[in-house]
Amino acid sequence: MAALLALVVAAAPVVASPGGVTTLDGTWQGRLGDEGGAADVGAWRPVRVPGNFPFQGLEVDGNVWLRTSFTVAEATQDLGVRVPPTANAYEVFLNGARLGGRGVIGPSGELVEKDFRAQVYRLPKELLRVGAPNTLSLRVRTFYGNGGVLAPGVLLGPETLVRDTAEARVVKVAMLVSMFAFAGVFHLVLFLARRRERHSLSFALLSGLLAVVTAGINMLGYVVSTNPDFNAYLVFVPLILLPLACVQFFSDFYGRVVTWRRRILAGLSGVALLSLVSSTLYHPLFPVFERVVMPLVTLVLAGTLLLCTAWTLQAVRRKQRGAKVVVVGLAVYAATGVMELAWTFSLLPVRIDSHVGFACFELAMVVAIAERFAWLHRQVELGEKDALTGCLTRHGFKERIQGLLAARGAPLSCVLFDLDHFKRINDVQGHVAGDRVLASAGAVVRRVVREGDVVVRWGGEEFLVVLPGQAGERAADIAERLRRAIEAHDTGGVQYTASFGVATRLPDEAFEVLLARADEALYEAKKSGRNCVRAAVGGPGASLRS
């Protein structure tokens, strides 16, 4: 719980930055302007900055003036002010003097061109009033009622420091987008490597959507295109698809059948996407999309998260791997999302950035998938490796033998060995001692052979060593080295030996035939008194040599 609270606190915006940069976010004054923008209409009223106009009761298709004041003790240098994304076009004034703006507001107050990216504006020291209130004003042109300062971060301070702070914010957002994108690509690669794990593919899709929506919300879409509709698609399309992506991932991760839910969400997503396209082609439909469709999408997303949370809690009760950490990620995301929603409706004075909740949610799912992947990897290893000796099983060896045989022309030898009188060890010393002997034999062999050699527990007390690149005398020398290492090893007071049979592969010889010749050599070693090496020098039934 302490860690959760720390993450939530970390999501809160900085009120005052070091180095003299402060924020002007808070309650400003606002009132409607006439279509020409030359005069003001009505009384000034409190308006929260940042805040979307429709959520503050400002239903107007026209200009809205916003103003706040600040005081400077001296004017020895130019100051700077950062205006965050402000929809849909705006102009900036200091003490009545125009400093610039984004987008184009026509001479009659009409919206000519939308552009609401953030920008830093210089406040010349010649325009500043020392020791008296300075008025910073924004003239904002709405778009079918939609408008306002959409994000926190109206920063004031020395111009250089404000620009550095603004660039640092962009870098942080870019890092967040990169994290989401990297997680998506990484899990896509995981899926391509192991296609049975469909949750890796659905998580890659979910991560990609989070990356795109984060980039769109922070106006990074303008890096690709200056068309504001393009950036709007970056924001709204992923948000519309998020409920479907969430249900797909959690159903894949927990193994749930959700066919009818997926169809319903797909239908709702299709309707919402059609509404989005219609509103961009025919702008009078935009208020319907923004104030009806998107709130419904938000409710569907909230319901989807509740459903996924219920599945996760059920998974925790069933002790499914990865469920506990997902609960933490969902809790952080839900907390930041609720707080940001409360800020949107003026129920909370401070905006808690849900992007951090996104990041925590993403990190939790990455950890959960990693835990599941590690468990699956262990299961595969248990199927491919013998738990007692650490050597490959026959099943694991089958996965590798084709690769070993594929190297045409390269020599290949087999060493088949059997622990001498192993039944006597089990009968006299007990099965625990026998298990220790088997484990130590596997460890000794794996320590002596090269990294590229393959060691297999072939069955019971019998082991197989495959030596790529070795033939004839060299393979027999390796077998002799293994025999001496086993003979010299002491396992808790139990000493044992082994008998070895060696065979080198003949041209185009099948592996089964090669193995049969090594087995013949092993049988000859046992007949010769055990604890020795015998090598096959020809085809099946050919002579053997010591």
Side-chain angles (χ1 to χ4, degrees):
M1 182 58 70
L4 175 60
L5 292 175
L7 288 170
V8 172
V9 171
V14 177
V15 175
S17 302
V21 178
T22 58
T23 180
L24 297 180
D25 292 349
T27 302
W28 289 31
Q29 291 180 313
R31 68 175 176 181
L32 307 183
D34 66 355
E35 291 301 314
D40 298 322
V41 178
W44 291 96
R45 52 169 288 182
V47 175
R48 186 167 47 82
V49 172
N52 205 333
F53 289 157
F55 294 117
Q56 302 191 64
L58 289 173
E59 300 285 349
V60 58
D61 185 14
N63 293 310
V64 177
W65 285 86
L66 301 174
R67 73 180 184 185
T68 189
S69 62
F70 62 92
T71 304
V72 295
E74 56 182 3
T76 58
Q77 60 179 323
D78 293 340
L79 298 183
V81 62
R82 174 188 181 267
V83 179
T86 302
N88 283 267
Y90 66 90
E91 297 174 332
V92 184
F93 299 84
L94 174 64
N95 296 326
R98 187 180 184 279
L99 303 178
R102 281 285 190 185
V104 178
I105 302 176
S108 300
E110 71 276 13
L111 179 61
V112 177
E113 180 181 328
K114 292 197 296 182
D115 186 347
F116 41 92
R117 284 173 284 175
Q119 185 170 323
V120 175
Y121 298 91
R122 175 177 298 169
L123 307 182
K125 57 180 179 293
E126 295 81 10
L127 296 178
L128 294 172
R129 301 168 183 166
V130 179
N134 292 272
T135 301
L136 177 69
S137 303
L138 298 178
R139 181 190 179 206
V140 182
R141 183 56 165 86
T142 66
F143 177 71
Y144 292 94
N146 173 67
V149 182
L150 304 181
V154 183
L155 303 178
L156 175 70
E159 183 184 4
T160 302
L161 295 179
V162 171
R163 293 188 183 278
D164 290 344
T165 304
E167 291 176 1
R169 290 188 173 216
V170 174
V171 170
K172 289 179 181 179
V173 172
M175 290 177 62
L176 192 61
V177 172
S178 299
M179 185 191 80
F180 291 152
F182 174 78
V185 172
F186 179 77
H187 284 86
L188 178 60
V189 172
L190 283 184
F191 169 74
L192 294 176
R194 190 176 177 85
R195 294 178 181 269
R196 286 177 291 176
E197 309 306 321
R198 289 184 56 84
H199 62 265
S200 294
L201 177 61
S202 52
F203 182 71
L205 172 63
L206 186 58
S207 296
L209 292 177
L210 290 176
V212 174
V213 72
T214 303
I217 289 175
N218 291 278
M219 306 297 167
L220 296 186
Y222 281 95
V223 176
V224 179
S225 172
T226 57
N227 185 348
D229 286 341
F230 173 79
N231 197 82
Y233 278 112
L234 289 184
V235 176
F236 294 125
V237 171
L239 284 175
I240 291 170
L241 296 178
L242 270 178
L244 183 60
C246 282
V247 164
Q248 186 65 56
F249 166 71
F250 280 95
S251 64
D252 288 342
F253 192 69
Y254 295 130
R256 306 186 72 99
V257 179
V258 292
T259 305
W260 64 272
R261 295 185 183 90
R262 189 163 51 238
R263 289 175 179 173
I264 290 175
L265 288 175
L268 292 175
S269 299
V271 172
L273 289 173
L274 180 62
S275 174
L276 172 62
V277 173
S278 300
S279 66
T280 54
L281 295 177
Y282 183 62
H283 290 157
L285 291 177
F286 183 78
V288 176
F289 171 75
E290 186 191 41
R291 300 174 200 179
V292 177
V293 176
M294 282 312 298
L296 289 176
V297 169
T298 304
L299 289 175
V300 171
L301 178 58
T304 300
L305 291 175
L306 288 176
L307 176 64
C308 295
T309 302
W311 288 347
T312 303
L313 293 176
Q314 291 174 7
V316 170
R317 287 197 294 271
R318 297 194 198 102
K319 297 183 179 179
Q320 285 187 251
R321 287 169 180 83
K324 289 183 179 180
V325 69
V326 174
V327 168
V328 177
L330 281 170
V332 175
Y333 175 56
T336 55
V338 168
M339 291 179 182
E340 186 171 41
L341 191 62
W343 168 83
T344 301
F345 289 98
S346 304
L347 301 176
L348 195 67
V350 179
R351 182 179 190 247
I352 305 298
D353 197 343
S354 64
H355 291 165
V356 176
F358 270 164
C360 294
F361 180 41
E362 177 99 354
L363 179 61
M365 292 191 292
V366 167
V367 172
I369 292 176
E371 183 179 343
R372 177 76 63 86
F373 190 82
W375 178 80
L376 289 171
H377 183 67
R378 285 196 297 271
Q379 301 310 302
V380 171
E381 278 202 334
L382 288 175
E384 293 184 350
K385 288 190 176 182
D386 176 57
L388 180 61
T389 64
C391 303
L392 287 176
T393 62
R394 284 197 179 200
H395 171 72
F397 180 65
K398 287 179 181 178
E399 298 292 327
R400 303 195 182 189
I401 184 59
Q402 295 304 321
L404 295 173
L405 298 177
R408 296 185 177 275
L412 180 76
S413 295
C414 282
V415 177
L416 196 63
F417 72 91
D418 190 270
L419 301 184
D420 297 331
H421 305 297
F422 182 73
K423 184 177 183 301
R424 185 185 305 168
I425 296 175
N426 271 337
D427 292 343
V428 176
Q429 303 288 338
H431 288 281
V432 174
D435 287 347
R436 285 202 300 267
V437 167
L438 288 171
S440 67
V444 169
V445 173
R446 286 185 288 111
R447 185 174 67 245
V448 173
V449 299
R450 305 167 303 167
E451 183 177 351
D453 298 335
V454 180
V455 184
V456 188
R457 185 181 178 186
W458 201 242
E461 67 272 21
E462 194 173 38
F463 292 80
L464 170 67
V465 182
V466 181
L467 305 173
Q470 304 294 345
E473 293 287 345
R474 179 59 181 161
D477 290 343
I478 294 174
E480 178 61 24
R481 191 162 71 244
L482 289 172
R483 186 197 67 78
R484 290 197 299 266
I486 288 176
E487 183 181 32
H489 189 73
D490 187 345
T491 306
V494 180
Q495 291 185 308
Y496 57 96
T497 60
S499 302
F500 289 77
V502 183
T504 296
R505 188 187 183 199
L506 302 174
D508 297 323
E509 184 178 31
F511 181 76
E512 292 77 10
V513 177
L514 170 65
L515 188 63
R517 293 197 296 114
D519 190 54
E520 288 181 8
L522 172 60
Y523 180 71
E524 183 64 25
K526 290 181 178 181
K527 284 174 55 178
S528 302
R530 303 178 189 273
N531 192 24
C532 62
V533 176
R534 293 292 182 267
V537 295
S543 60
L544 303 168
R545 59 181 172 81
S546 303

